[in-house]
Amino acid sequence: MTDTETLSRYGTDPHYDETKRYLADSMWTHASFDDLWPNFETMLKTWPPAPSHLVVFNWGGYERQPERPSMAYSVEDELYYGLYAAWTDPVDSQTYTNWVTNHMRAWEPYASGIQLADENLVNRPYRFVTDENLQRLDVLLAGWDPDGLFVSWLGRPELHTDAADTKESPVAGPSE
């Protein structure tokens, strides 16, 4: 077992090339890999150039894990998937934006939400907060910013219940 700081410093950070353009998107899920495989298999056939990658964290915890405190941006689940495309030429921006967005959209039937850090809210607004906390945030926002001067996020998630437990998922192509 390792902590996130060590994992980032030695596992992922060295792979980020500052000369590249990046787009990330993410999801929280408890779906089995078998459910996610059809989209993942298609993804592998069209994978963007390195250092494009998929981050997978087992977030489900461990025995005797302390309970996490209540959080405003509160959606979590057993597994976290973060998909990153990286490219150099600005001409390819739409192709790789579509690649990431469409593949994460294909997994939406299995998602319980996204993480605000590796999100793609401009292209794929999705649930990052529980319905209860979203309503609490709306009340606070209405009280402190009644004229709507401040943008609180780039894409408002729809009120949503639990992730669908379906066995089928559409499969996205590289630039659909």
Side-chain angles (χ1 to χ4, degrees), residues 114-149:
I114 63 168
Q115 175 176 294
L116 286 184
D118 304 318
E119 82 288 329
N120 184 13
L121 291 173
V122 171
N123 299 299
R124 195 180 71 86
Y126 205 72
R127 180 179 189 238
F128 55 83
V129 60
T130 63
D131 290 350
E132 177 186 357
N133 284 348
L134 180 58
Q135 291 167 350
R136 287 176 52 211
L137 288 168
D138 285 345
V139 168
L140 288 170
L141 186 60
W144 287 96
D145 184 24
D147 299 324
L149 297 175

Side-chain angles (χ1 to χ4, degrees), residues 4-176:
T4 303
E5 180 182 349
T6 303
L7 181 62
S8 292
R9 186 173 346 127
Y10 296 107
T12 57
D13 292 351
H15 300 287
Y16 288 99
D17 178 347
E18 292 182 13
T19 67
K20 303 283 187 195
R21 295 167 171 260
Y22 289 90
L23 183 74
D25 204 339
S26 66
M27 78 168 181
W28 292 105
T29 188
H30 55 271
S32 73
F33 191 75
D34 289 342
D35 289 334
L36 303 177
W37 175 248
N39 183 50
F40 189 64
E41 185 176 33
T42 301
M43 203 184 295
L44 289 172
K45 294 175 185 172
T46 59
W47 204 268
S52 298
H53 59 280
L54 178 69
V55 174
V56 180
F57 283 127
N58 177 8
W59 203 258
Y62 53 92
E63 231 177 278
R64 297 185 313 273
Q65 173 181 318
E67 188 172 330
R68 288 187 194 53
S70 178
M71 303 172 289
Y73 301 111
S74 51
V75 175
E76 294 182 318
D77 209 330
E78 293 177 21
L79 298 166
Y80 169 78
Y81 286 77
L83 182 61
Y84 291 76
W87 64 97
T88 305
D89 192 338
V91 171
D92 295 329
S93 293
Q94 192 61 54
T95 297
Y96 294 121
T97 295
N98 289 344
W99 185 85
V100 169
T101 303
N102 291 338
H103 281 295
M104 294 310 293
R105 193 170 282 133
W107 276 341
E108 281 181 4
Y110 305 105
S112 54
I114 63 168
Q115 175 176 294
L116 286 184
D118 304 318
E119 82 288 329
N120 184 13
L121 291 173
V122 171
N123 299 299
R124 195 180 71 86
Y126 205 72
R127 180 179 189 238
F128 55 83
V129 60
T130 63
D131 290 350
E132 177 186 357
N133 284 348
L134 180 58
Q135 291 167 350
R136 287 176 52 211
L137 288 168
D138 285 345
V139 168
L140 288 170
L141 186 60
W144 287 96
D145 184 24
D147 299 324
L149 297 175
F150 295 95
V151 175
S152 58
W153 48 75
L154 295 174
R156 180 182 171 82
E158 292 182 29
L159 287 177
H160 190 273
T161 55
D162 292 329
D165 288 322
T166 178
K167 296 293 181 195
E168 295 182 22
S169 173
V171 179
S175 59
E176 295 174 357

